[in-house]
Amino acid sequence: MLTSNTSTRDEIGRAKVNLTLRVVGRRADGYHDLESIVAFADCADRLTLVPGGELSLRTIGPLADACGETSDNLVLKAARLLAEVVPDLQVGAFTLEKVLPVAAGIGGGSADAAAALRLLARLNEIALDDPALIAVALKTGADVPVCLASQACDMTGVGEKLLPLNLPQLPSVMVNPRVAVATKDVFHALGLRPGELRVGVTDVLRAPAWPDAGASIGDWIRVLERVPNDLEPPALKVQPVIGDVLAVLGTCAGALLARMSGSGATCFAIFGSDAEAQAAGRQIAADHPEWWVHAGTLS
């Protein structure tokens, strides 16, 4: 018997930010093959678990109302899928403190599901690299495996292939206009047919090498500038306010790169210093109180 079963456990679900996102093509099964440099922010949801009893979830926090039906939450989906492959899985009562915007391109729901899997893995003495756990993460959602690791990486395939990267601390501002964007709508606007490639062999061969450990912010910016987010143009068609956010971020003093994350609508800018990022965050929050704004770091 595990002696910690009666204690409360907690994990954070850090926001995922796609620094780049290439859509390689659409597979015959309808899924899209991607390549993305993923970083994680220092803003996060918090998930607690009180072991024992039936599986349950309650949501609290400033954005709890945006979570929708509890029964559809990815935390419960992940736990139920894990219970299908782990006999006598010990579960309990989850409480999710929701502070990240939903349907925002920063993997909030996926980060919460990954936090649930980490909590259940610890409770049930399952290694985080256990193939069954990783398979459940991918079955829960394409962004859940990268959120399970929660470290900077080059993510390929449909999200299951992860190559760790050494990113420096990147001062940043993240902005969401509090408008939900459905990923399926953005991919529909992209318009790839099953089996259609978007990035050819030549593009792959010309892809830049990512900087080595110890590279500066400037080194990374020079490479990131060459690799776009392919979902940005279709997302702008779906939700034009993304263009307003990018324009504001791009004109901030000290901004080195402004881009959309994932399928939107959250956008980010990378700055040369923490002071510049903090100043920009304060100014944007003052000028646009209706927007969600976070100034911090990506790593």
Side-chain angles (χ1 to χ4, degrees):
M1 179 180 293
L2 298 177
T3 58
S4 57
N5 280 4
T6 58
S7 63
T8 300
R9 299 154 176 260
D10 69 292
E11 277 277 349
I12 60 171
R14 298 168 68 197
K16 165 202 67 80
V17 174
N18 300 91
L19 301 180
T20 68
L21 202 165
R22 302 305 314 273
V23 180
V24 177
R26 189 176 182 186
R27 306 188 325 185
D29 62 8
Y31 288 96
H32 291 80
D33 278 318
L34 310 172
E35 180 179 18
S36 178
I37 299 304
V38 178
F40 285 85
D42 58 353
C43 55
D45 292 336
R46 182 169 295 277
L47 187 68
T48 61
L49 171 64
V50 179
E54 297 293 321
L55 175 65
S56 65
L57 171 68
R58 72 183 182 107
T59 55
I60 60 174
L63 294 180
D65 291 343
C67 290
E69 291 293 327
T70 299
S71 59
D72 296 330
N73 196 283
L74 290 182
V75 167
L76 294 181
K77 180 180 179 181
R80 288 168 180 152
L81 287 172
L82 189 60
E84 291 178 4
V85 298
V86 177
D88 302 318
L89 182 76
Q90 298 178 75
V91 291
F94 285 106
T95 299
L96 173 62
E97 182 181 2
K98 192 67 182 173
V99 300
L100 299 177
V102 301
I106 54 175
S110 296
D112 299 339
L117 291 176
R118 289 194 298 272
L119 286 168
L120 292 172
R122 199 156 74 238
L123 176 63
N124 291 274
E125 298 183 335
I126 302 169
L128 289 181
D129 60 355
D130 188 300
L133 187 72
I134 295 171
V136 165
L138 184 59
K139 192 172 182 180
T140 303
D143 277 339
V144 180
V146 72
C147 291
L148 184 65
S150 195
Q151 64 181 35
C153 66
D154 185 351
M155 178 179 72
T156 55
V158 296
E160 80 284 12
K161 299 174 184 176
L162 308 174
L163 176 65
L165 293 174
N166 291 289
L167 275 180
Q169 294 281 323
L170 302 175
S172 67
V173 176
M174 300 165 59
V175 177
N176 182 278
R178 297 188 188 272
V179 175
V181 175
T183 300
K184 63 179 178 61
D185 293 342
V186 175
F187 276 108
H188 179 75
L190 184 65
L192 291 182
R193 300 182 301 276
E196 182 179 357
L197 289 177
R198 188 177 186 280
V199 176
V201 174
T202 302
D203 297 297
V204 174
L205 293 175
R206 290 177 179 171
W210 306 117
D212 294 327
S216 68
I217 294 174
D219 293 333
W220 273 96
I221 292 296
R222 281 188 287 275
V223 176
L224 293 173
E225 285 177 331
R226 297 170 53 192
V227 188
N229 180 344
D230 290 338
L231 295 182
E232 202 170 287
L236 284 164
K237 295 178 183 177
V238 173
Q239 193 50 256
V241 70
I242 293 170
D244 299 334
V245 176
L246 288 170
V248 168
L249 286 169
T251 56
C252 290
L256 304 176
L257 176 72
R259 184 168 285 170
M260 186 186 81
S261 175
S263 56
T266 303
C267 300
F268 66 92
I270 297 172
F271 292 79
S273 70
D274 292 325
E276 289 170 325
Q278 293 297 325
R282 288 191 296 270
Q283 189 62 55
I284 294 171
D287 293 343
H288 300 275
E290 74 279 14
W291 289 356
W292 177 90
V293 180
H294 173 78
T297 58
L298 302 175
S299 61

